[in-house]
Amino acid sequence: MSELNYSEDTSGHLFRQSITTLPRISDKRGKLFAKLGIETVGDLIWLMPRSYNDWSRRVPVGRLVEGDVATFEAVIENVPSLARRGKLSYIRARLGDDTGSIRAVWFNQPWLGEQLKRGEHYIFRGKIEGSGRSRSVNTPEIRATNDESPAFIPVYPLTAGLNQATVRQAISTVFSNRDLAITESLPAGIRTDYRLATADYALRRIHAPESEHDIEVARRRLAFEELFLLMAGLRYMKSGRRDECGPAMKLTEEVLERLQKQIARLPYKLTPSQESAIASILNDFRQPYPGNRLIQGDVGSGKTVVAAMAMAVAAWSGYQSVMMAPTTILATQHAESVASILEGSGLKIALLTGGMAPSRKRLLTDSLAEGEIDILIGTHAVIEQDIRFVKLGCCVTDEQHRFGVRQRVKLSGEGDIIPHTLVMSATPIPRTLALILYGDLDITEMKDMPSGRQAVKTYTARGGDRSRIDRLMEREINLGHQVFVVCPMIEESPELDIHSAEAVHERLSRLVFPDRRVALMHGKLKAQEKSDVMRDFDQGDIDILVSTTVIEVGIDQPNATLLIVENAERFGLSQLHQLRGRVGRSQIQSYCVLVSDSDDPLVRRRLTALCKNSSGFAIAEEDLLLRGPGDVFGVHQHGIPDFRVANLYEDGELLKEASRAVDQVFRDDPYLTNQENRLILNEFKARYDDRLTRPGL
Ligand code: ADP
Ligand code: MG
């Protein structure tokens, strides 16, 4: 077996060395480690313990509770007996202290029979099973009372074939290497101000703590570092933008006048939020560097008109714009909305989707490259292909796709000009979280809703209420309104007992409303069929649209006033909120019925939360409470990297501290030029470069 060997003493080399260079890590074991994402020594030291076996906290025997894994000190009360049954051997003993006693059984460790003597004291650790008289501990680990081994033993995530001992051994080998030098990525000043341990101390202690305090100190440092590095990196990217070349638009008097005229043509008055969002975008447009702005507003707050006006201003200033949507339906909807908002402007707006005939597509891309099209709207998938603009000035996208978009849009004609980016988001995110998710963006919040909006009246219902729900649909249709019915799956799946969209459509169109226009929409329809259905629905030619969640995002039909969600328990809280945003988009009172037969208390709480709250922020908070730490409102969808130590929901305070520390560093050194601050940047790149595939670094 090879010992750790490296010619130079730079720890960089050691970290990059394959773990198979460690003693006792064969290629075969190396493959098992690889399953855990560990290939190098550097990866290994970052394998964080899941928990610790705590030998220090002793529970009185009388208080050992079924299900606990506990440590206790006890005396062996009887002569341990060895029994065999076939190949199985087991030793039984009774262990006790002055608070009570418990049975212990050790399977297949016959040698213990010689070792364990009545009257001797030991420390035991194991899982407690059963209660009362049948309480027992199964194959507990044993330590002598004067044992000096560490009180906290790390427990690592494993994979089949790999055991704790192997992992612990490998890690301790690395740390016992005297040449191991762990680079410090936090500036000394920050460490002092925020009472943080050094990287070296923290990493050593997290794997070999001597006390609970050690674990806390180590964890705090490592979690802080993760949050700090990500925020500092994003912040650096943000300030780095100022060195990039953007489309600096003139925004002449004439352009601003045209804008005012276009706004005056709208059938409504803009909300103050919409006005100030437009103002900040115009301000971005004037700068010589590319703007990167997040427009955050609840569903129905009217983000489309903001984007449309921004794109019009770009066009009048001589720049093309592109707006991207995740689905064809949405892109089509956006194109129609934008066209109607910009009616009379004379601007050329085009739609580009996957289902388009190649010849038509060619025509379109040609005129785009000639500069004849001002605003291109389409799906990401299509636009990210080889589309060429003459002068791209503004790129509007939605939150799901923000990472990497700027870079993939092919720019042409203007050298290295990077367009302004607008990210539209309906996901309510607590401020602290926004720093992590959108630290590199300027944020505009659209707080107020178009006036006259009434909250959507939301109710829960059970399958047995079917006829009442049918009557509600009938009533809305008679009023000339339209109805959405959303189902979680499209095919009947008897095991799961899910109403598929097809079955619901069948029932409604044949049995309940044979004289009404009931349509079906799901992901497996052809693009053309989908857009036909959407067009019919838009034109009011459909009374009831039964659909899978394809209608979830962005669809805008003010005449739709009733939303029925089947198997509502299958949807998350935020998802339900997004769905509900499909109705209540006008002055007319709208309704939402959440149908579920589930009695799961969590489900009931979720549904009640929706009935009680209409604001996305309140719902996001509730979501956080109900789901607890985990993937709250689709953080992963935003492209946020998994943290190794930090937890965005539990480390809220630490997040604030780290954010203050970032401010502090940037106040004194906005471009991170000094030696110590360079290290922050190096570490940020090392950790996140491949995930944040954006220019500017
Ligand atoms: P979202 O922010 O969810 O994308 P939309 O832009 O789709 O919202 O707008 C929702 C609806 O509100 C649309 O029907 C739009 O015409 C309407 N709307 C937008 N702004 C206003 C306003 N200031 N006053 C009244 N209605 C508005
Ligand atoms: Mg929208």
Side-chain angles (χ1 to χ4, degrees):
M1 264 313 151
S2 61
E3 277 299 310
L4 276 182
N5 63 338
Y6 37 91
S7 42
E8 291 150 273
D9 67 349
T10 48
S11 59
H13 283 200
L14 172 58
F15 286 159
R16 278 193 298 272
Q17 211 166 296
S18 161
I19 54 160
T20 54
T21 58
L22 295 172
R24 272 178 280 180
I25 307 291
S26 58
D27 286 354
K28 194 163 144 240
R29 278 199 175 147
K31 289 211 177 77
L32 294 174
F33 274 98
K35 282 193 188 161
L36 294 171
I38 295 164
E39 282 167 9
T40 62
V41 170
D43 297 335
L44 183 64
I45 63 171
W46 272 104
L47 178 69
M48 292 291 114
R50 249 193 303 121
S51 61
Y52 298 87
N53 288 343
D54 177 359
W55 284 86
S56 71
R57 196 163 42 189
R58 317 265 164 91
V59 180
V61 173
R63 277 201 248 130
L64 294 170
V65 180
E66 179 171 12
D68 281 358
V69 176
T71 306
F72 57 96
E73 183 171 346
V75 68
I76 300 175
E77 292 181 336
N78 58 355
V79 179
S81 65
L82 173 66
R84 289 183 190 277
R85 190 176 293 152
K87 279 191 188 153
L88 195 72
S89 83
Y90 50 97
I91 290 176
R92 279 190 298 211
R94 182 154 275 285
L95 314 174
D97 64 7
D98 20 337
T99 64
S101 73
I102 186 168
R103 290 190 300 149
V105 187
W106 286 269
F107 289 98
N108 292 333
Q109 300 183 13
W111 60 89
L112 280 177
E114 317 270 293
Q115 235 168 295
L116 299 174
K117 300 263 154 52
R118 176 178 178 179
E120 282 177 348
H121 272 86
Y122 288 98
I123 301 160
F124 301 93
R125 189 183 152 78
K127 180 154 187 193
I128 312 302
E129 294 169 352
S131 60
R133 294 184 60 102
S134 62
R135 202 170 52 143
S136 69
V137 56
N138 185 347
T139 319
E141 291 177 75
I142 307 168
R143 277 189 184 183
T145 46
N146 61 356
D147 192 315
E148 305 221 314
S149 20
F152 290 86
I153 308 294
V155 178
Y156 295 97
L158 296 177
T159 184
L162 203 60
N163 63 30
Q164 291 293 346
T166 308
V167 179
R168 286 176 191 147
Q169 174 69 45
I171 290 177
S172 80
T173 309
V174 174
F175 280 100
S176 61
N177 186 314
R178 278 211 236 107
D179 298 318
L180 178 78
I182 291 167
T183 331
E184 180 55 59
S185 58
L186 293 179
I190 295 296
R191 287 202 321 270
T192 318
D193 292 355
Y194 295 87
R195 295 166 294 107
L196 298 161
T198 60
D200 184 80
Y201 182 91
L203 269 177
R204 284 176 194 276
R205 286 306 160 106
I206 204 92
H207 293 292
E210 284 169 12
S211 65
E212 238 161 308
H213 180 70
D214 272 0
I215 299 173
E216 187 38 49
V217 166
R219 219 200 77 85
R220 188 179 129 80
R221 144 77 206 211
L222 297 174
F224 184 100
E225 169 185 300
E226 282 188 303
L227 298 168
F228 175 88
L229 287 175
L230 182 56
M231 284 190 286
L234 290 173
R235 174 82 162 263
Y236 178 80
M237 290 170 73
K238 182 163 154 178
S239 57
R241 260 195 285 133
R242 296 182 182 243
D243 301 330
E244 293 171 342
C245 199
M249 300 183 191
K250 292 278 179 314
L251 305 197
T252 58
E253 275 306 310
E254 192 209 329
V255 168
L256 296 177
E257 248 166 57
R258 277 206 209 173
L259 173 66
Q260 286 318 319
K261 266 201 210 130
Q262 197 65 39
I263 290 175
R265 291 181 67 121
L266 293 170
Y268 44 76
K269 219 168 106 37
L270 291 184
T271 64
S273 286
Q274 286 170 322
E275 295 203 357
S276 70
I278 293 174
S280 29
I281 295 168
L282 296 195
N283 205 34
D284 292 347
F285 280 3
R286 290 191 182 95
Q287 309 303 325
Y289 53 85
N292 203 6
R293 183 171 295 276
L294 172 73
I295 308 285
Q296 198 179 30
D298 212 341
V299 272
S301 60
K303 294 182 290 292
T304 317
V305 64
V306 171
M309 293 302 170
M311 295 192 290
V313 167
W316 294 322
S317 309
Y319 288 89
Q320 291 170 303
S321 292
V322 61
M323 184 174 195
M324 299 191 251
T327 64
T328 303
I329 295 181
L330 253 171
T332 313
Q333 275 258 343
H334 278 327
E336 281 161 11
S337 310
V338 170
S340 111
I341 290 165
L342 298 183
E343 210 175 276
S345 66
L347 292 173
K348 279 266 177 354
I349 301 162
L351 173 68
L352 179 64
T353 63
M356 229 172 194
S359 55
R360 260 185 77 200
K361 190 173 159 190
R362 172 79 49 74
L363 224 63
L364 206 152
T365 50
D366 282 352
S367 48
L368 192 70
E370 312 257 290
E372 283 159 16
I373 289 170
D374 299 303
I375 297 174
L376 179 71
I377 299 175
T379 51
H380 294 267
V382 175
I383 287 174
E384 283 158 13
Q385 292 163 12
D386 207 12
I387 301 288
R388 301 181 74 81
F389 296 87
V390 191
K391 238 182 148 188
L392 183 59
C394 176
C395 174
V396 183
T397 183
D398 60 282
E399 57 196 313
Q400 282 106 323
H401 289 79
R402 81 178 199 90
F403 283 84
V405 160
R406 226 153 59 107
Q407 156 155 328
R408 272 179 281 153
V409 173
K410 296 266 188 316
L411 311 173
S412 57
E414 287 282 303
D416 285 330
I417 287 186
I418 294 173
H420 300 291
T421 307
L422 290 178
V423 180
M424 302 284 171
S425 166
T427 314
I429 304 161
R431 194 82 207 168
T432 44
L433 225 50
L435 284 171
I436 282 275
L437 291 168
Y438 298 114
D440 59 334
L441 274 66
D442 298 312
I443 301 179
T444 297
E445 274 181 70
M446 301 211 336
K447 281 246 162 80
D448 38 30
M449 298 292 262
S451 62
R453 283 290 159 76
Q454 307 180 43
V456 177
K457 287 198 174 143
T458 306
Y459 308 98
T460 56
R462 297 200 174 245
D465 300 326
R466 200 55 68 193
S467 59
R468 279 172 54 207
I469 300 172
D470 291 345
R471 281 205 300 280
L472 187 57
M473 287 200 232
E474 171 101 61
R475 192 188 79 187
E476 286 305 306
I477 299 169
N478 283 339
L479 287 167
H481 302 155
Q482 289 163 283
V483 179
F484 281 124
V485 181
V486 178
C487 312
M489 283 177 83
I490 62 152
E491 269 153 5
E492 196 77 73
S493 156
E495 303 90 346
L496 293 173
D497 188 29
I498 287 173
H499 291 268
S500 75
E502 277 157 358
V504 170
H505 175 258
E506 191 77 3
R507 177 182 165 275
L508 291 175
S509 60
R510 296 203 179 202
L511 290 174
V512 193
F513 299 109
D515 305 329
R516 301 294 192 180
R517 297 159 299 180
V518 187
L520 176 64
M521 164 84 100
H522 56 68
K524 289 193 183 158
L525 290 185
K526 295 210 182 65
Q528 186 59 47
E529 295 171 313
K530 278 191 216 164
S531 56
D532 287 350
V533 173
M534 276 329 291
R535 192 202 49 226
D536 293 348
F537 192 77
D538 270 354
Q539 292 173 353
D541 293 341
I542 289 173
D543 299 307
I544 302 174
L545 179 60
V546 180
S547 152
T548 55
T549 44
V550 285
I551 66 153
E552 185 180 339
V553 266
I555 299 301
D556 183 26
Q557 172 50 280
N559 194 43
T561 55
L562 174 58
L563 170 77
I564 316 272
V565 183
E566 297 289 345
N567 293 90
E569 74 280 356
R570 299 234 136 211
F571 297 95
L573 193 46
S574 298
Q575 204 183 5
L576 286 171
H577 176 64
Q578 299 283 327
L579 278 173
R580 182 170 61 176
R582 297 311 112 223
V583 295
R585 297 174 84 83
S586 69
Q587 261 98 327
I588 320 168
Q589 178 63 58
S590 290
Y591 305 88
C592 170
V593 181
L594 307 167
V595 187
S596 173
D597 282 327
S598 166
D599 286 316
D600 180 339
L602 265 175
V603 169
R604 297 321 302 183
R605 266 186 73 181
R606 230 193 280 150
L607 302 185
T608 313
L610 271 157
C611 297
K612 283 198 301 218
N613 297 300
S614 55
S615 124
F617 278 94
I619 285 164
E621 296 289 331
E622 188 73 21
D623 205 11
L624 192 88
L625 278 176
L626 290 183
R627 286 208 228 177
D631 187 23
V632 180
F633 34 84
V635 163
H636 286 283
Q637 137 191 327
H638 294 265
I640 275 277
D642 281 322
F643 291 112
R644 296 186 272 221
V645 185
N647 178 315
L648 283 181
Y649 312 105
E650 289 172 355
D651 291 325
E653 275 311 306
L654 204 59
L655 184 63
K656 281 184 204 152
E657 286 185 54
S659 144
R660 274 210 306 280
V662 171
D663 285 344
Q664 201 169 315
V665 167
F666 277 82
R667 200 167 47 233
D668 301 335
D669 183 13
Y671 290 93
L672 304 187
T673 45
N674 83 41
Q675 187 66 34
E676 243 188 342
N677 295 339
R678 278 277 122 190
L679 288 176
I680 300 177
L681 211 55
N682 291 344
E683 192 60 28
F684 170 73
K685 284 187 198 174
R687 292 196 194 182
Y688 300 113
D689 222 12
D690 52 331
R691 319 207 206 198
L692 304 172
T693 50
R694 278 176 292 185
L697 268 176

